[in-house]
Amino acid sequence: MKLSRPVSWFLLAFGVWSWFIWITFVKNLWKDGSGLAFDDAGDPTAYFWVHLLLAVTSFLLGTAIGVIGFRGVRALRRESAERPPEQPSAPSSSGS
């Protein structure tokens, strides 16, 4: 299957966005001081584990989508590098 240039770039951008968003989310979850992620003894709560699982799953899916986009961009660049430059067409003669 061949991806178009816009789709490849979109998938790659989605993968990069996923890395940024979910790593930031986990950092914030880890530093949570509201009492939702950690109980009074400092132990992780169910809220922490569920959200960590969601973040890791989304991070992995985003990574896979980004890899597909990267491979699409790379294939398009390789294809355009292998393609010979277009020759100007010779004027056609209208032999009368």
Side-chain angles (χ1 to χ4, degrees):
M1 182 168 123
K2 185 176 175 182
L3 299 174
S4 69
R5 186 173 312 278
V7 169
S8 295
W9 279 107
F10 174 78
L11 295 175
L12 180 58
F14 181 87
V16 170
W17 174 254
S18 180
W19 273 61
F20 175 74
I21 288 298
W22 291 109
I23 288 176
T24 302
F25 180 82
V26 169
K27 284 180 183 178
N28 292 335
L29 181 65
W30 199 265
K31 293 188 252 178
D32 179 57
S34 69
L36 286 173
F38 298 97
D39 61 16
D40 294 334
D43 295 325
T45 63
Y47 176 91
F48 174 84
W49 292 115
V50 167
H51 284 83
L52 183 63
L53 180 63
L54 289 170
V56 169
T57 302
S58 296
F59 178 74
L60 292 174
L61 290 172
T63 300
I65 290 169
V67 167
I68 292 168
F70 176 74
R71 292 175 74 184
V73 169
R74 192 174 60 182
L76 289 167
R77 287 189 179 189
R78 187 174 37 241
E79 181 182 292
S80 67
E82 292 174 355
R83 186 179 308 140
E86 293 186 22
Q87 301 286 334
S89 57
S92 60
S93 60
S94 59
S96 299

